[in-house]
Amino acid sequence: MVIALRRGLLVLAVAALAAGGALAQPPKFDVHAPIDPSRGDALSNPTYHGPEVLKFIGVKPGWKVADIFPGRFTTAIAQAVGPKGKVYGFMPDEIIKVHPGIADLKAARAKDAAWANVTPLASPMNDMALPDGLDAVFIRQNYHDLHVRFMGPADVPAFNRKVFAALKPGGVFVIIDHVAPAGMDVTTASNRFHRIDPETVKAEVEAAGFKFDGESKVLADPTDDHTKMVLETSILGKTDQFLFRFRKPK
């Protein structure tokens, strides 16, 4: 989710007007929501279901975890792994470019004692280099961004292979993202709606050698009909999300 989507948001608004007639009101969007500090994090905002997600990941003290696109869960993960654990927060350069506010967030986090065991990493997406021997890799609401145009798009097969290589045998790759309509092509789903078909994710991740290891419905919302762009204010924070865990075979 990025501010660079304004052009896409305009297209959606025009489409809404065309579909609803002259009196129709275009949808409203909150393009700042992804980095809005008032939305809290997994420790302060119960809608993120932080304890349930951490339990699903299986985080333990002493673990080494990579948080891709670090944000709402990073502090919670850092707390869970404890002082003997380590969190690597990888933020792609492409995201920093379109979200200038991240620079200020990074500066503040560098002084935050809660991030003392978090090591920031940054590079172009396709140059991502994760440390070896990780227990878990986590990505929340941004896997679909790998397919978005502003990311290049990213080399998704290479990304998944890098995650696989960085994990120790038995390590887990956990993904949260917004559900797209079943069968919707990934280009439309990711660029227009910032969603992705869960089956697309399964196919892409398993192609790298992972085994599907389970899912949780804790973030599911049956009232979301999957037809709205996730930054529309009418659906913001109320999307249907999947929570998948993949495991690297031992």
Side-chain angles (χ1 to χ4, degrees), residues 43-246:
L43 292 176
S44 63
N45 188 335
T47 66
Y48 298 137
H49 293 278
E52 295 95 330
V53 172
L54 291 179
K55 182 178 180 180
F56 181 78
I57 297 172
V59 182
K60 295 179 176 61
W63 268 27
K64 293 168 58 180
V65 180
D67 187 5
I68 312 298
F69 300 83
R72 307 291 183 191
F73 272 78
T74 311
T75 304
I77 295 172
Q79 184 181 95
V81 302
K84 294 184 179 180
K86 194 72 178 177
V87 179
Y88 299 90
F90 174 72
M91 186 67 75
D93 290 349
E94 292 86 345
I95 289 288
I96 298 172
K97 180 178 180 180
V98 298
H99 267 311
I102 288 178
D104 293 332
L105 289 175
K106 288 180 65 177
R109 288 165 176 169
K111 302 175 184 178
D112 188 345
W115 281 55
N117 59 345
V118 179
T119 297
L121 304 173
S123 74
M125 188 70 239
N126 287 337
D127 293 336
M128 179 184 76
L130 299 176
D132 296 331
L134 297 176
D135 296 284
V137 175
F138 177 68
I139 182 169
R140 174 184 176 269
Q141 296 183 348
N142 288 106
Y143 185 92
H144 71 267
D145 278 326
L146 300 175
H147 290 279
V148 173
R149 294 184 185 92
F150 78 84
M151 293 295 291
D155 185 337
V156 180
F159 168 81
N160 286 321
R161 289 194 298 268
K162 288 180 179 180
V163 171
F164 186 88
L167 285 165
K168 63 175 58 175
V172 296
F173 181 22
V174 175
I175 302 172
I176 296 173
D177 220 324
H178 307 282
V179 178
M184 178 177 281
D185 71 276
V186 70
T187 299
T188 300
S190 59
N191 285 281
R192 184 173 179 183
F193 298 103
H194 272 256
R195 298 173 179 265
I196 192 166
D197 182 349
E199 294 305 315
T200 296
V201 176
K202 284 183 181 180
E204 291 179 348
V205 175
E206 289 176 339
F210 285 98
K211 301 297 182 182
F212 185 70
D213 190 55
E215 66 180 303
S216 169
K217 297 294 186 180
V218 69
L219 297 170
D221 190 333
T223 65
D224 176 10
D225 66 5
H226 307 150
T227 64
K228 293 182 176 66
M229 194 277 196
V230 301
L231 293 183
E232 283 192 36
T233 55
S234 65
I235 195 71
L236 184 64
K238 298 178 287 187
T239 59
D240 185 21
Q241 299 169 60
F242 60 86
L243 172 54
F244 286 168
R245 184 178 59 234
F246 299 88

